[in-house]
Amino acid sequence: MRLATLKRGGRDGTLVAVDESGTRVAPVAGYATLQAALDDWDAAQDALRAAADAAETGEAVSPEDFAAPLPRAWQWLDGSAFANHGALMELAFGHAPIETDKPLMYQGMSHQFIAPTDDVPLPSEADGIDFEGEFAIVTGDVPMGCPADQALGYVRLILLLNDWSLRAIAIPEMKTGFGWVQAKPACSVAPFAVTPDVLGEAWRNGRVCLPLTVEVDGEWFGNPNGAAMGYGFHELIAHAARSRSLPAGTIIGSGTVSNPEHEAVGSTCISERRAIEMIAGGGPQTPFLPFGSRVAMCAGEGVSPFGVIDQRVVAG
């Protein structure tokens, strides 16, 4: 199934199932919002399937009608699960390797996720405006201490996400040892949250094995594949749940999708490209985003199962 949230209906929008074309929708009987369906997932299956069938001849909609699938969520936990991305950053900036055998993860703001075609307001170009292309999952209720070999059973939905970042603020905040606040504004999310079966063989080993394509102002920026994820989502869930339960509706991100073959497949964030330029030539060449820039993201070959993120960065 592909599920989405229309902007109408209040702060949490209106839950709908989406047809294969992504242009027709049907409401889900008994479940006004996606969070309500996640809270009652097993019992909601009949209503969700009925809505998915009805969507094939349902109401016609346009891309601008969609909010983020979860306009706000109980929890947003972002990993950094692509080893190549971390290695490039360490080499370019001379950082010592992080000595850990555990996944890297931080907790970000979750009270707002930006709709896939809405403008993205940010305070200043001087903050070093950057994007990060990621895959993410939405969990059901995960018990504390959930082992990795059981964790995929709690994956309800899969997302495509842009984790906006303000790089000029990020390093000073990291040095405090307290994590990011100002450097991590709201994320943007592609319109369709898909169940794992929609991806077929592209969902394996707890990874989204699809290319994530980024364009900036209509120009290709990169299309690395999510298969290179060093820790699978099952391992990220187990890490997050080690000492606490996770509520239904928790979103967990993969971190910046990155491949070692960056000369061929590019990158999904400006900071990584700048790191590559620093390693190759001694200094960065690619600027961060000015206001008015347009960033688009999709996944897969051909039609993106998640739909498309296509947004302008504007002065907030």
Side-chain angles (χ1 to χ4, degrees), residues 61-89:
V61 291
S62 66
E64 293 75 21
D65 293 325
F66 292 107
L70 280 170
R72 52 181 176 170
W74 287 112
Q75 192 164 217
W76 157 236
L77 302 170
D78 196 14
S80 182
F82 288 85
N84 180 70
H85 178 72
L88 287 170
M89 294 300 176

Side-chain angles (χ1 to χ4, degrees), residues 11-87:
R11 292 180 69 178
D12 296 303
T14 298
L15 172 63
V16 291
V18 186
D19 75 337
E20 288 192 10
S21 72
T23 62
R24 291 188 177 275
V25 302
V28 181
Y31 297 93
T33 67
L34 180 52
Q35 184 62 54
L38 289 163
D39 287 338
D40 198 27
W41 189 252
D42 291 339
Q45 291 306 298
D46 287 346
L48 291 169
R49 283 191 287 267
D53 292 340
E56 297 303 321
T57 55
E59 175 189 355
V61 291
S62 66
E64 293 75 21
D65 293 325
F66 292 107
L70 280 170
R72 52 181 176 170
W74 287 112
Q75 192 164 217
W76 157 236
L77 302 170
D78 196 14
S80 182
F82 288 85
N84 180 70
H85 178 72

Side-chain angles (χ1 to χ4, degrees), residues 52-278:
D53 292 340
E56 297 303 321
T57 55
E59 175 189 355
V61 291
S62 66
E64 293 75 21
D65 293 325
F66 292 107
L70 280 170
R72 52 181 176 170
W74 287 112
Q75 192 164 217
W76 157 236
L77 302 170
D78 196 14
S80 182
F82 288 85
N84 180 70
H85 178 72
L88 287 170
M89 294 300 176
E90 289 170 4
L91 184 58
F93 295 101
H95 295 161
I98 298 173
E99 299 294 340
T100 182
D101 58 355
K102 297 177 174 62
L104 301 178
M105 185 176 288
Y106 74 94
Q107 185 163 349
M109 63 170 281
S110 60
H111 69 272
Q112 177 191 12
F113 290 90
I114 303 172
T117 61
D118 282 3
D119 288 347
V120 179
L122 294 169
S124 173
E125 292 177 342
D127 290 339
I129 302 168
D130 198 358
F131 48 84
E132 292 187 42
E134 303 191 21
F135 294 113
I137 55 96
V138 183
T139 73
D141 287 305
V142 181
M144 183 175 67
C146 174
D149 62 4
Q150 297 177 22
L152 291 183
Y154 297 100
V155 174
R156 300 292 182 251
L157 298 164
I158 305 170
L159 307 172
L160 169 65
L161 182 147
N162 182 355
D163 176 29
W164 293 100
S165 297
L166 303 178
R167 302 300 187 183
I169 303 173
I171 292 176
E173 282 199 310
M174 287 175 68
K175 289 180 179 178
T176 69
F178 277 82
W180 289 306
V181 176
Q182 295 178 350
K184 289 292 186 177
C187 300
S188 302
V189 189
F192 310 136
V194 307
T195 50
D197 60 286
V198 169
L199 300 185
E201 287 300 310
W203 174 247
R204 59 182 185 272
N205 301 322
R207 293 160 171 83
V208 180
C209 301
L210 293 172
L212 195 166
T213 300
V214 179
E215 292 184 354
V216 178
D217 294 327
E219 297 291 329
W220 177 87
F221 197 90
N223 63 336
N225 198 296
M229 194 172 170
Y231 289 97
F233 279 110
H234 52 304
E235 293 163 303
L236 297 185
I237 293 170
H239 176 76
R242 181 185 180 276
S243 59
R244 57 177 167 174
S245 61
L246 308 179
T250 295
I251 303 174
I252 299 179
S254 67
T256 306
V257 176
S258 178
N259 293 171
E261 308 82 12
H262 51 77
E263 291 185 1
V265 301
S267 300
T268 62
C269 74
I270 294 173
S271 187
E272 180 174 296
R273 179 182 278 189
R274 286 167 62 91
I276 293 166
E277 292 166 346
M278 291 169 67

